[in-house]
Amino acid sequence: MRDELAAAIAQAITELFNVTISVELSRPDEQFGDFATNVALQLTKQVGQNPRAIAESLQPKLADSLHEWVSEVTIAGPGFLNLRLRDEALIRMAVPAVPSGWTGKVVVAEYSDPNPFKVLHAGHLYTSLVGDVVANLLELAGATVHRVNFGGDVGMHVGKTMWAIVHELGGEHPDKLIAIPDDQKLEWVSQRYVTGNEKYDDDVAAKAEMISLNKQVYAIHAEHDTSSPLAQIYWTCRQWSYDGFDALYERLGMKPFEKYYPESEVSDLGLATVKAHIGPVYEESEGAVIFRGEPFGLFTQVFINGEGLPTYAAKDVGLIQHKFQDYHYDSSFIITDSSQKDHVAVVMKSVEQFEPELVSRTIHKTHGRIKLAGGVKMSSRKGNVLSASAILDATQQANQAARGESQDQTVLGAVRYSFLKNRIGSDIIYDPAESVSLEGNSGPYLQYAHARARSILRKAGLSDDYNFDIIDEPLEAAERSLVRKISEYSEVLERAITELMPHHICGYLYELAQEFNRFYEHNRVVDDPRQALRLGLVTRYANTLKAGLKLLGITAPEQM
RNA sequence: GCACCCGUAGCUCAGCUGGAUAGAGCGUUGGCUUGCGGAGCCAAAGGUCGUAGGUUCGAAUCCUGUCGGGUGUACCA
């Protein structure tokens, strides 16, 4: 209907002034109307009249041609034309449209990307949630989305961790790993990385052993070694990491990943590909193999180091090819924080030289980083990292303290919402002391608002699928405000999908719930003369809220 | 040094494809319960939109300079 309105206005302008213009309809303050357009201001030059005069000649024309949908056209301010919809038109708009921008497309979404043997920290938590919801948006818009994860199961951090593990076990004794309790395995392994790192910096002998262990780990993969003591330790601890990650993902309410791409499985192809293109694309320099990015406004990156091992740049070369072989995607999203921007650009630029099609289908979507209060940044090497599980635990305790009890879905709603409500792009300040909010503009506020609405419907004895038909009866002001807000959902959804920005949904749902809470404060539903209409209204509201929350990966409880 | 990102209320953030009095939450202060769930509702105080110019009928929004912060910049990922 929005498009039809815009088209009708455009046609009126053509008939009146003989000019063509693309009409933008915005949602003004409620006091002004349901839609507003500034065409009169835009036409000033083309028509050669002042905007007010243009608006005045348009007004009766629009009132007539939009008569079917619009009850009133008014002029305000410098020349805005405000449209007030007929109630029945507004009600018709309050049905969510199904977005279709990605229908039939095959999409790979890679996100989260924690490294085995290291902690899954707040930054991973954030990037995971962003990826999860972006994937949800693409799916809703009709895409077939393959969710994949990538992480470094080989490399120096593994050498460091393996060194510390072997020392902790008093030698290569995989049998001693049994002593580690299940719920401490992930933590135990990531703690070994921290101690390994400390030794690396101030113990020359240890450092040499770590470098050696790093190579041995590569050898474990090359030889498919599953039986040597070191290999047993490696495979066991790697699995602990993956199991720990999966447990966290589940706790975060994320849709499961379809596939993990461990670096060890993509590095061979990456290495071979880089080597195969030495000359035209990559070049040897100082014992390493590099790609010169300067001609493209980028920087030079090492792809194969002096030891002959692939760096993460070469691994990414392998990864992009594996992903395409596995999925033959139309589009491939890589979701990471902004510090990866240039690195990915260099890798892509190099691959573009021999596989331009793959690169043109790849979209690197970056977001900000998580910082601690006061702008302190986290460093896993320094040990001042905030783990994902610490955030969940802190939120759980805060909820417990406030309510005397804590439901998992409330914690999940609080955490997901508090991260997702921010526009993707700039850094996020996380204050562990204040934790995530449970009231005001928060996940639990929305969940609670939903539970209250369902409570009304339960009291009226309604099932979930009750819907009301268009009613001739005029809406009361409070009812109309709510319908008006519900009718915005489709537009918000479309914008969130176009921009792939989940925060639009958060902001909208909060306004929606607020609108309902205002209505609820002063208006009865059950046993009111207007019950029939209002039950339908509450149902549509609750369904809209639930649908939006679902996109965000937040449950909409019947009660809480 | 060069490249990119950011700077909006005490704090955390919306608003940025130019438009009507710059909006929320938290915090502060003051109200609201004989009625469907108070994790709620209403109100007040609080902002030269870092800063200086420019473009425009109109700039938080676009352009330039500048200050402040962040990120990246050859063998970690």
Side-chain angles (χ1 to χ4, degrees):
Chain A
M1 181 181 299
R2 182 197 174 93
D3 293 342
E4 292 164 314
L5 280 172
I9 293 170
Q11 191 187 336
I13 290 168
T14 304
E15 288 171 14
L16 217 48
F17 301 110
N18 197 30
V19 294
T20 309
I21 187 173
S22 93
V23 175
E24 296 290 327
L25 281 175
S26 61
R27 290 281 194 166
D29 274 2
E30 189 168 11
Q31 54 171 318
F32 295 123
D34 299 315
F35 286 108
T37 180
N38 62 353
V39 286
L41 288 84
Q42 291 177 329
L43 285 169
T44 311
K45 275 185 182 160
Q46 290 185 67
V47 174
Q49 299 175 27
N50 74 57
R52 193 82 199 185
I54 297 172
E56 275 163 18
S57 46
L58 266 170
Q59 183 185 24
K61 177 93 176 164
L62 293 182
D64 180 54
S65 64
L66 305 179
H67 179 263
E68 188 186 338
W69 304 298
V70 173
S71 62
E72 195 180 16
V73 179
T74 52
I75 302 171
F80 290 99
L81 283 158
N82 293 317
L83 312 180
R84 183 182 167 90
L85 294 180
R86 296 185 179 284
D87 286 356
E88 62 267 29
L90 193 61
I91 290 170
R92 243 182 297 150
M93 276 194 77
V95 178
V98 180
S100 59
W102 287 82
T103 302
K105 299 294 184 192
V106 175
V107 172
V108 173
E110 177 209 322
Y111 53 93
S112 193
D113 297 354
N115 288 324
F117 302 95
K118 288 173 75 170
V119 68
L120 193 152
H121 56 66
H124 293 117
L125 181 150
Y126 179 52
T127 199
S128 301
L129 295 180
V130 169
D132 188 43
V133 177
V134 165
N136 286 348
L137 287 170
L138 292 165
E139 240 162 29
L140 185 77
T144 301
V145 181
H146 301 285
R147 297 157 190 257
V148 306
N149 203 336
F150 177 60
D153 64 334
V154 289
M156 262 322 294
H157 70 283
V158 181
K160 292 172 181 175
T161 312
M162 287 297 289
W163 181 89
I165 289 173
V166 170
H167 266 250
E168 187 77 14
L169 299 176
E172 295 181 8
H173 302 301
D175 48 303
K176 290 190 179 174
L177 288 170
I178 294 168
I180 316 296
D182 279 354
D183 59 348
Q184 290 172 28
K185 287 172 172 172
L186 183 64
E187 171 66 22
W188 187 84
V189 171
S190 53
Q191 194 55 44
R192 298 288 80 70
Y193 169 70
V194 175
T195 55
N197 230 326
E198 288 165 2
K199 281 286 179 186
Y200 183 88
D201 289 332
D202 52 42
D203 186 332
V204 179
K207 180 175 175 176
E209 290 173 32
M210 292 175 195
I211 292 170
S212 165
L213 276 165
N214 181 26
K215 286 185 186 169
Q216 290 179 58
V217 169
Y218 274 99
I220 286 170
H221 284 284
E223 295 158 14
H224 304 289
D225 177 0
T226 54
S227 57
S228 75
L230 192 68
Q232 286 183 46
I233 293 171
Y234 173 79
W235 293 116
T236 300
C237 291
R238 192 185 87 153
Q239 193 56 45
W240 286 2
S241 285
Y242 285 135
D243 291 345
F245 296 160
D246 287 341
L248 267 171
Y249 293 145
E250 192 178 346
R251 216 178 148 196
L252 283 169
M254 287 169 57
K255 284 198 182 168
F257 286 99
E258 193 170 315
K259 190 173 174 64
Y260 274 94
Y261 284 100
E263 281 189 358
S264 59
E265 292 180 15
V266 303
S267 58
D268 284 351
L269 181 57
L271 194 61
T273 305
V274 170
K275 282 181 176 170
H277 293 89
I278 291 176
V281 181
Y282 305 98
E283 65 181 82
E284 296 183 50
S285 172
E286 299 172 31
V289 178
I290 63 168
F291 175 75
R292 291 206 188 275
E294 283 76 5
F296 306 97
L298 300 164
F299 55 83
T300 292
Q301 173 73 291
V302 173
F303 280 65
I304 301 174
N305 68 21
E307 305 269 333
L309 297 176
T311 66
Y312 75 137
K315 291 164 185 168
D316 278 337
V317 172
L319 176 62
I320 181 175
Q321 294 176 94
H322 273 288
K323 284 194 285 197
F324 191 72
Q325 286 167 10
D326 291 342
Y327 298 111
H328 294 93
Y329 51 75
D330 295 300
S331 294
S332 171
F333 284 88
I334 301 170
I335 295 158
T336 73
D337 80 57
S338 52
S339 68
Q340 302 296 316
K341 191 177 179 184
D342 288 349
H343 157 70
V344 173
V346 172
V347 171
M348 291 302 149
K349 186 53 75 178
S350 79
V351 175
E352 189 181 284
Q353 310 307 309
F354 51 93
E355 285 279 15
E357 186 62 27
L358 293 198
V359 173
S360 71
R361 297 183 190 197
T362 302
I363 300 151
H364 185 209
K365 188 169 181 63
T366 61
H367 56 256
R369 298 152 63 94
I370 303 296
K371 288 181 185 169
L372 302 176
V376 178
K377 59 178 175 180
M378 292 180 284
S379 163
S380 58
R381 296 189 179 191
K382 291 175 186 164
N384 67 332
V385 279
L386 186 62
S387 71
S389 55
I391 289 176
L392 287 162
D393 292 343
T395 306
Q396 206 242 301
Q397 281 162 23
N399 194 22
Q400 180 101 35
R403 306 286 148 206
E405 57 165 6
S406 179
Q407 296 182 350
D408 287 348
Q409 63 178 346
T410 309
V411 172
L412 192 146
V415 170
R416 291 187 70 108
Y417 189 87
S418 75
F419 283 94
L420 292 169
K421 73 178 176 183
N422 295 295
R423 167 180 261 272
I424 292 175
S426 46
D427 293 344
I428 291 181
I429 310 291
Y430 180 82
D431 188 345
E434 290 184 12
S435 189
V436 297
S437 56
L438 303 162
E439 52 193 34
N441 187 0
S442 70
Y445 174 97
L446 300 178
Q447 292 176 312
Y448 181 69
H450 178 266
R452 289 169 105 186
R454 288 288 177 211
S455 173
I456 294 173
L457 300 177
R458 264 199 309 279
K459 181 166 181 175
L462 295 184
S463 60
D464 288 351
D465 55 358
Y466 180 82
N467 267 311
F468 69 117
D469 290 326
I470 296 166
I471 292 176
D472 287 338
E473 193 174 0
L475 297 168
E476 289 183 358
E479 296 164 349
R480 197 179 191 286
S481 294
L482 185 52
V483 177
R484 184 181 184 276
K485 186 53 80 175
I486 295 170
S487 76
E488 290 176 26
Y489 182 61
S490 297
E491 291 156 45
V492 170
L493 212 52
E494 195 175 319
R495 185 168 182 194
I497 289 167
T498 305
E499 299 177 11
L500 290 176
M501 290 280 188
H503 80 288
H504 290 306
I505 294 168
C506 294
Y508 167 75
L509 291 181
Y510 180 63
E511 288 171 12
L512 175 66
Q514 238 178 357
E515 200 62 63
F516 172 75
N517 283 337
R518 284 189 200 114
F519 173 82
Y520 179 89
E521 195 73 14
H522 301 291
N523 298 281
R524 231 190 128 67
V525 176
V526 178
D527 296 335
D528 184 275
R530 300 178 66 78
Q531 169 170 332
L533 176 115
R534 289 181 174 179
L535 281 175
L537 192 54
V538 172
T539 303
R540 276 202 194 179
Y541 154 73
N543 289 347
T544 304
L545 185 53
K546 186 175 186 173
L549 285 172
K550 187 182 175 192
L551 260 180
L552 299 173
I554 298 173
T555 56
E558 296 295 313
Q559 45 196 308
M560 60 189 285

